[in-house]
Amino acid sequence: MADTKLPFNKKKIIEIAKSYPTPFHIYDEKAILDNARRLKKAFKDIYGFKEYFAVKALPNPFILKILKHEGFGADCSSLPELLLAEKVGIMGEDIMFSSNDTPAQEFVEAARLGAIINLDDITHIDFLEKSAGIPKLICFRYNPGKERTGNAIIGHPEEAKFGFTREQLLEGYAVAKERGVERFGLHAMVASNELDYKYIVQTAEMLFDLVVEIKQKLDINIEFVNIGGGIGIPEKPEQRPVPLQRIADGIKAAYEAKIVANKLDPVKLVMECGRLITGPYGYLITSVMHMKHIYKDYVGVDASAANLMRPGLYGAYHHITVLGKENAPLNHRYDVAGSLCENNDKFAIDRMLPKVEPGDYLAIHNTGAHGHAMGFNYNGKLRSAELLLRKDGSVEQIRRGETTDDYFATLNFDALDDFKLK
Ligand SMILES: *Cc1c(COP(=O)(O)O)cnc(C)c1O
């Protein structure tokens, strides 16, 4: 079952909340490190294995610094994400730039940093040539269309906006070679939050088959395949973590059967997971302000969808622990709601919890990826602080909470005084 044990108790949270008022996200450094090492261990026999952490999942430089120390690169898809990687000292081919619908300026910046540029569309070859020039190393994102079925978050490949068709892919490599590209990568990401390890292995198999075809048809050696992100994490208590060793073993077998058997040059395997790396190791801590009893029973907390949008956006399940009541019977049915003027601002619907009272602290699980990062300011809500629970049990604030000054920072009130009604 998913691990619903917490790395802190109520007493610790009360102490932390004296310095850092709720709501806040708190990340567990030790668990992130242990998990990073588990991944590396599982993939240790995979040729050239490297994980490029998907920055969008948790764009915090302190987290990136921890992951860099573990040998991870950064997967970026925008200018600010590139600059964030650079600030942490992640540069050159330790950056994978996997963007789509890309502005010219971002290609220029990626080229300046020497990042691996992963193109999302065949027309971007010309676009890149005009904006930043043709690099020596290039990667293309493949969309298998009808050949694969996707899943709920990312949808079916055929309906997805990403990547090259198969025909475009072959044409793209030929064109790139003609224009002077010397090194080639191949990328696909066809699943999101996928818990079936076989699906991930199938993506590697599909890419290895293409590597063989590209070699045979175009005499191009693919230097690496990037199987994308999208490895899932257990969210509901009855779900289990993806067996990483089985993914690695499956990939190794496919590599032998396809790359080695066809006597191809060695092909590195890389991935760009976000959720898998940090998702389970973050918690949104919020306190209960109000209990409301109308046609249903509501727990009104001081966080809102501005701090965690996934339940409202995808109906995602996030486990909730009422701190100090870990062993109490789950005999009350509640909707746990934030204060946005939107009825989908609910962290849980019809959730069985112990009896909740104002002043209780709730830990909302699995907020270490696509949590704080998806924050927004709608309704004048401010994004919370991010804290790091260090290995030694101390707590470090790694991002302060926003203030109303931040909210107003893009407005010019002096100009408002001079603004005449016509
Ligand atoms: C979002 C994204 C990722 C990371 O996805 P996770 O589900 O967090 O692993 C990786 N690569 C690309 C191109 C993405 O868009």
Side-chain angles (χ1 to χ4, degrees):
M1 89 168 220
D3 192 358
T4 53
K5 275 203 315 285
L6 295 167
F8 42 73
N9 57 22
K10 181 174 184 180
K11 185 161 161 267
K12 177 90 181 173
I13 291 297
I14 289 174
E15 197 187 304
I16 296 170
K18 282 182 198 152
S19 313
Y20 308 110
T22 59
F24 54 78
H25 289 264
I26 185 163
Y27 309 117
D28 181 354
E29 180 182 27
K30 180 175 184 305
I32 290 173
L33 280 170
D34 289 348
N35 182 54
R37 289 170 189 169
R38 230 177 359 254
L39 177 70
K40 285 191 294 185
K41 185 159 175 258
F43 280 76
K44 70 177 182 345
D45 295 331
I46 301 288
Y47 176 72
F49 177 71
K50 188 176 176 81
E51 151 72 7
Y52 293 81
F53 177 67
V55 173
K56 75 168 191 262
L58 181 45
N60 186 296
F62 293 82
I63 301 294
L64 295 183
K65 191 165 179 177
I66 293 171
L67 296 175
K68 175 180 190 276
H69 187 73
E70 291 303 304
F72 289 8
D75 173 53
C76 302
S77 54
S78 68
L79 180 63
E81 288 180 4
L82 285 167
L83 297 177
L84 197 55
E86 184 184 23
K87 280 191 186 294
V88 180
I90 303 178
M91 287 193 278
E93 292 180 14
D94 287 341
I95 302 176
M96 186 74 64
F97 184 58
S98 292
S99 63
N100 70 92
D101 192 22
T102 313
Q105 188 200 5
E106 300 195 349
F107 280 136
V108 171
E109 200 63 18
R112 178 183 70 79
L113 290 168
I116 301 174
I117 296 179
N118 183 16
L119 293 188
D120 182 69
D121 187 57
I122 192 160
T123 65
H124 293 190
I125 300 173
D126 285 343
F127 190 81
L128 176 65
E129 184 162 38
K130 289 200 189 87
S131 51
I134 294 286
K136 291 285 172 235
L137 169 62
I138 210 162
C139 182
F140 295 150
R141 179 172 186 163
Y142 173 51
N143 180 332
K146 281 199 185 70
E147 289 177 34
R148 297 290 298 279
T149 49
N151 68 7
I153 293 191
I154 210 162
H156 289 298
E158 211 184 343
E159 306 284 335
K161 67 172 178 168
F162 305 111
F164 292 49
T165 67
R166 197 180 181 88
E167 272 185 356
Q168 289 173 341
L169 193 70
L170 290 163
E171 186 189 336
Y173 283 116
V175 168
K177 190 178 173 185
E178 241 172 60
R179 307 227 183 139
V181 175
E182 292 167 2
R183 298 165 58 207
F184 302 87
L186 169 62
H187 169 273
M189 174 160 169
V190 284
S192 184
N193 207 4
E194 180 57 61
L195 284 171
D196 182 358
Y197 79 92
K198 293 191 216 83
Y199 196 92
I200 312 295
V201 174
Q202 281 161 14
T203 296
E205 287 170 347
M206 171 186 84
L207 292 174
F208 290 151
D209 278 336
L210 270 170
V211 169
V212 175
E213 185 180 341
I214 291 161
K215 172 70 186 176
Q216 289 168 351
K217 291 197 172 143
L218 304 170
D219 194 28
I220 285 174
N221 295 312
I222 298 290
E223 180 175 316
F224 68 86
V225 298
N226 179 347
I227 58 172
I231 298 179
I233 58 171
E235 293 178 332
K236 298 191 171 142
E238 67 273 15
Q239 290 176 330
R240 289 164 188 285
V242 179
L244 295 176
Q245 191 61 55
R246 286 198 168 174
I247 297 181
D249 292 348
I251 289 175
K252 184 120 179 84
Y255 188 90
E256 295 291 330
K258 296 175 193 291
I259 303 299
V260 177
N262 283 292
K263 302 196 166 55
L264 263 59
D265 286 352
V267 181
K268 293 182 214 163
L269 183 121
V270 307
M271 61 167 61
E272 48 188 36
C273 284
R275 194 187 319 274
L276 174 75
I277 309 302
T278 55
Y281 315 115
Y283 306 85
L284 172 59
I285 307 297
T286 180
S287 55
V288 177
M289 297 189 296
H290 305 287
M291 298 300 298
K292 172 167 181 162
H293 306 286
I294 47 171
Y295 307 105
K296 295 183 85 173
D297 294 320
Y298 293 91
V299 177
V301 296
D302 61 1
S304 73
N307 306 110
L308 178 68
M309 182 158 61
R310 299 187 70 254
L313 187 63
Y314 317 115
Y317 179 94
H318 282 263
H319 198 68
I320 297 177
T321 301
V322 185
L323 296 180
K325 299 182 180 177
E326 285 83 351
N327 298 316
L330 308 178
N331 54 9
H332 286 68
R333 183 185 301 274
Y334 296 114
D335 281 13
V336 179
S339 54
L340 286 187
C341 303
E342 289 285 343
N343 193 41
N344 69 351
D345 183 16
K346 291 178 180 173
F347 294 108
I349 295 173
D350 292 328
R351 184 72 56 88
M352 296 308 292
L353 293 173
K355 183 172 169 54
V356 176
E357 293 147 292
D360 278 341
Y361 289 97
L362 308 187
I364 302 178
H365 295 238
N366 281 335
T367 71
H370 313 292
H372 186 281
M374 282 188 178
F376 54 88
N377 286 132
Y378 179 57
N379 244 183
K381 296 298 168 189
L382 303 173
R383 279 172 285 237
S384 80
E386 294 181 291
L387 309 180
L388 185 65
L389 180 62
R390 304 299 314 265
K391 277 194 292 186
D392 63 4
S394 65
V395 171
E396 188 154 336
Q397 178 169 259
I398 56 173
R399 184 195 300 273
R400 68 165 171 79
E402 288 176 341
T403 64
T404 45
D405 283 345
D406 296 316
Y407 184 71
F408 294 137
T410 48
L411 297 171
N412 181 348
F413 288 99
D414 294 336
L416 181 68
D417 292 338
D418 299 333
F419 179 73
K420 303 267 183 312
L421 293 177
K422 288 185 180 160

